[in-house]
Amino acid sequence: MSLDWIYYAISWILLTWHSAWDAIVSAEAVIGTNWSWILAIVFLVVTVRVILFPVFVKQIKSQRAMQALQPKVKELQEKHKGDRETLQKEMMELYRKEKANPLMGCLPMFLQIPVFLGLFHVLKRLRPDNSQPTLYGWTVDQFHSASHAKLFTAPLSGRFGSTAQELAALGANTGTVKLVAGVLVLIMIATTYLTSRQMILKTGWAEDPQQRMVQRLMLYGIPVSLLVSGSIFPIGVIIYWVTNNLFSLGQQQWVLRKFPPLVPAKTGAPARTSGQPAKSGGLFGRKTAEPAAKAPAAAPKVAGPKPGAKPVNPKKGSRPAKRQG
């Protein structure tokens, strides 16, 4: 299946934003940076995320529905232990009845993968020696401008792992490219980690061992893998990734406030509803002290009179009982 339609779509959005910013900011490099191309990549992210925002909201709602169904899922697992086929049918029926979709949690990420691959392919071909400058709707002038665009004198198509010959063809200094690309890779790793951490702090660690392992993989595995894969990403792609992470941090914070996660009740404690989100420690896990709830004052115990004892402080108007006989 040809992916040309993705390359044309990415190129069109990128070139549209570049034309808009080129009319506002200087076309010449400022501080060794062609800002119109940098801003074009940044607003490519904004465009994609705005388009996918309704999908992201559906993802959060689906996750909340899945959280609410966990007690019923556990009941089914106990009821059909050892009968995987029946369990799957019952769970699918439960999801259908409650309108919960387990796949919605991954949908926004999967929809962004073609954009990332498309940008990676488009930026990779922005070399001055490319024999097809007008591919995917580019003009010769646009191709020439983009292939020479820089961030602090490092070409957008340059990579941390680029050879000296490749960087020489781009007219770039090897040390500068490695420094700029290296710093961006570290920022990419840090923002990727913070994005995953933010979600886990808000939703809590899963009780299921397999789900918890997936959470740990998302939190630690993916950032570590970027140490290797980040060296092959063009600088323009890393700018896209970092911008996407920063957008995710802000978007998740807003959505998680709008749709707070359900927090399972602890033993002996009242369950919190969706309107009572758990207080997390924020992005970096700092916990805020909550005032301890004061227990209601217990009524003083009054000892009853002993048998045969005279009443103390009798009420006014009351007369002692007359003795018989």
Side-chain angles (χ1 to χ4, degrees):
M1 175 178 163
S2 175
L3 297 178
D4 282 0
W5 67 274
I6 294 177
Y7 306 146
Y8 275 101
I10 294 300
S11 296
W12 183 82
I13 297 173
L14 194 63
L15 294 173
T16 300
W17 277 115
H18 173 258
S19 298
W21 284 109
D22 200 37
I24 299 173
V25 300
S26 173
E28 298 297 326
V30 179
I31 323 176
T33 303
N34 300 96
W35 293 105
S36 58
W37 284 109
I38 303 298
L39 291 170
I41 295 174
V42 169
F43 278 83
L44 169 64
V45 176
V46 174
T47 302
V48 173
R49 296 306 296 264
V50 168
I51 293 172
L52 293 180
F53 185 75
V55 180
F56 185 80
V57 173
K58 286 184 179 180
Q59 173 200 19
I60 295 296
K61 289 182 177 180
S62 178
Q63 287 176 343
R64 298 296 174 268
M66 293 293 293
Q67 279 184 299
L69 290 178
Q70 283 306 302
K72 294 183 179 179
V73 170
K74 287 183 178 180
E75 287 180 10
L76 290 176
Q77 289 172 341
E78 291 294 328
K79 182 179 178 181
H80 302 290
K81 187 180 293 184
D83 188 353
R84 186 176 294 273
E85 185 176 350
T86 304
L87 176 61
Q88 290 296 329
K89 288 180 180 179
E90 291 287 339
M91 288 179 66
M92 292 304 295
E93 178 63 23
L94 177 64
Y95 293 151
R96 185 194 64 78
K97 183 179 177 182
E98 299 294 337
K99 298 180 180 179
N101 188 351
L103 299 178
M104 277 299 299
C106 302
L107 186 58
M109 181 181 67
F110 284 131
L111 291 178
Q112 289 183 74
I113 289 175
V115 180
F116 175 79
L117 294 177
L119 183 64
F120 182 88
H121 177 81
V122 168
L123 290 178
K124 193 172 71 171
R125 61 177 290 273
L126 293 178
R127 305 185 315 272
D129 59 344
N130 196 321
S131 60
Q132 295 178 306
T134 58
L135 202 60
Y136 310 134
W138 292 66
T139 66
V140 175
D141 289 340
Q142 287 170 334
F143 179 85
H144 178 79
S145 174
S147 62
H148 290 85
K150 294 179 171 71
L151 173 65
F152 303 123
T153 72
L156 297 186
S157 57
R159 299 171 288 116
F160 185 86
S162 294
T163 64
Q165 291 79 7
E166 290 172 337
L167 295 177
L170 294 171
N173 179 274
T174 304
T176 302
V177 171
K178 289 191 180 297
L179 177 61
V180 173
V183 170
L184 285 174
V185 168
L186 292 177
I187 296 173
M188 177 175 65
I189 293 170
T191 52
T192 300
Y193 170 80
L194 291 175
T195 303
S196 300
R197 179 175 172 80
Q198 180 191 52
M199 183 62 73
I200 292 173
L201 285 175
K202 288 290 183 179
T203 59
W205 287 95
E207 294 182 6
D208 182 68
Q210 292 183 345
Q211 293 182 5
R212 185 180 285 260
M213 185 173 64
V214 171
Q215 285 180 319
R216 290 189 182 279
L217 178 64
M218 295 289 292
L219 185 60
Y220 301 112
I222 293 179
V224 170
S225 69
L226 292 176
L227 279 172
V228 179
S229 57
S231 64
I232 66 173
F233 291 162
I235 288 174
V237 171
I238 302 177
I239 293 171
Y240 173 90
W241 191 304
V242 170
T243 306
N244 190 59
N245 284 347
L246 294 175
F247 196 100
S248 294
L249 287 169
Q251 182 175 267
Q252 282 182 178
Q253 187 67 22
W254 182 87
V255 172
L256 289 168
R257 285 181 180 275
K258 188 77 174 177
F259 305 101
L262 298 172
V263 179
K266 294 180 180 179
T267 306
R272 286 174 174 160
T273 63
S274 59
Q276 295 173 313
K279 297 226 173 169
S280 69
L283 191 59
F284 297 98
R286 295 193 184 97
K287 294 185 178 179
T288 54
E290 295 183 9
K294 292 184 179 179
K301 292 183 179 180
V302 179
K306 294 181 180 180
K310 292 182 178 181
V312 181
N313 297 329
K315 294 182 180 178
K316 291 183 179 180
S318 62
R319 295 179 179 178
K322 293 184 178 179
R323 292 186 180 180
Q324 295 290 336

